[in-house]
Amino acid sequence: MILTVTLNTALDVTYRVPRLLPHASHRVTAVTERPGGKGLNVARVLAALGHKVTATGFAGGPVGSVVRSALAASPGVVDALVPCGGASRRTLAVVDEASGDTTQFNEPGPLITPAEWSRFLAHYEELVSGVRAVALCGSLPPGVPVGAYAVLVRTARAAGVPVLLDTSGEALRRGVAARPEIIKPNAAELAELTGSRDPLPASRDARRRGAHAVVTSLGPAGLLAATAQGTWQAAPPRPLSGNPTGAGDSAVAGLLSALAEGLDWPDRLTRAVALSAATVLAPVAGEFDPGVYEELRQTVRVTNGN
């Protein structure tokens, strides 16, 4: 069993419009809704890969009810979300069909009380004792301590469970110090953490700060991994045109599933890049075609930087 944590769950709403123009009215050609927040996206991909997954975090209000109802229809994902008094957020993505670009609007999320946070910590401690790996993903809702991920990393490490941390800003800075197995920033998040815009020295700096391994998303150029076993870069076989929404979460699912299966770093990166690329090419944001994934997995380029 793999556990994903999404403290700031969401209902992801996607609008498609022929062309997005400022100061204009738009006719929406299609609308899709699905449970969201990075950890729930990761959970769905893990389940599609055949892993048993439990998803936890907070859900509250009418939006939280919709999220939980939709999650119940996700095959292979166990709902272990914790109710809260505030209303879960929505995220709105507007896809410009002419350019393929996506514009995102993210609500802040519910206010979590100290009592709700304490209940979650007790719930998490019970869950983490019976899993093979944990993903801690996304932003913190209002009211959750900024050092929350550091606490969750330490709890998992005390139980002997490896952690992948995918967040940003001060939450990442505090979380790295708790020594997660893997962090997965993008290049901008890594630069914010370390002050360096060169991903390789920045990755080494992040490892000195506590991360056992740093896997950085380089956009179309793939992933860069700095680990105790060496440094690798993995890239898709060709430039890809599509919707990148959810591609990073698919990469996290690839890394986490491969970690749970005990695969080596080149195989972890191959899986992560192939899943990410297949997600970019999918017609529905955040999904992937298993056949396209398998085809891409055979052609991902992995180079050793040692």
Side-chain angles (χ1 to χ4, degrees), residues 81-93:
L81 295 170
V82 175
C84 63
S88 294
R89 66 192 178 124
R90 293 163 296 180
T91 68
L92 177 62

Side-chain angles (χ1 to χ4, degrees), residues 23-51:
H23 317 299
S25 296
H26 295 80
R27 185 173 299 278
V28 176
T29 59
V31 181
T32 58
E33 293 184 348
R34 64 174 191 165
K38 294 178 74 66
L40 294 188
N41 298 337
V42 171
R44 279 196 302 272
V45 177
L46 287 168
L49 292 171
H51 284 270

Side-chain angles (χ1 to χ4, degrees), residues 128-215:
V128 82
S129 63
V131 301
R132 298 173 63 187
V134 177
L136 306 176
C137 301
S139 62
L140 302 178
V144 171
V146 70
Y149 283 136
V151 173
L152 300 183
V153 171
R154 292 188 189 103
T155 300
R157 284 178 54 81
V161 178
V163 179
L164 188 154
L165 176 61
D166 183 14
T167 188
S168 60
E170 189 62 23
L172 176 59
R173 190 181 308 278
R174 302 280 187 100
V176 166
R179 300 185 61 77
E181 190 72 21
I182 304 171
I183 64 170
K184 200 216 68 70
N186 61 34
E189 291 162 349
L190 183 63
E192 182 183 9
L193 174 66
T194 65
S196 172
R197 295 194 174 276
D198 188 330
L200 185 54
S203 296
R204 290 168 176 160
D205 185 356
R207 291 195 63 234
R208 287 192 292 271
R209 292 168 186 257
H212 289 267
V214 180
V215 181

Side-chain angles (χ1 to χ4, degrees), residues 97-122:
E97 294 177 327
S99 67
D101 292 336
T102 300
T103 302
Q104 191 87 11
F105 300 88
N106 297 327
E107 296 178 358
L111 177 64
I112 304 301
T113 67
E116 288 169 340
W117 176 239
S118 294
R119 284 198 296 272
F120 176 81
L121 288 176

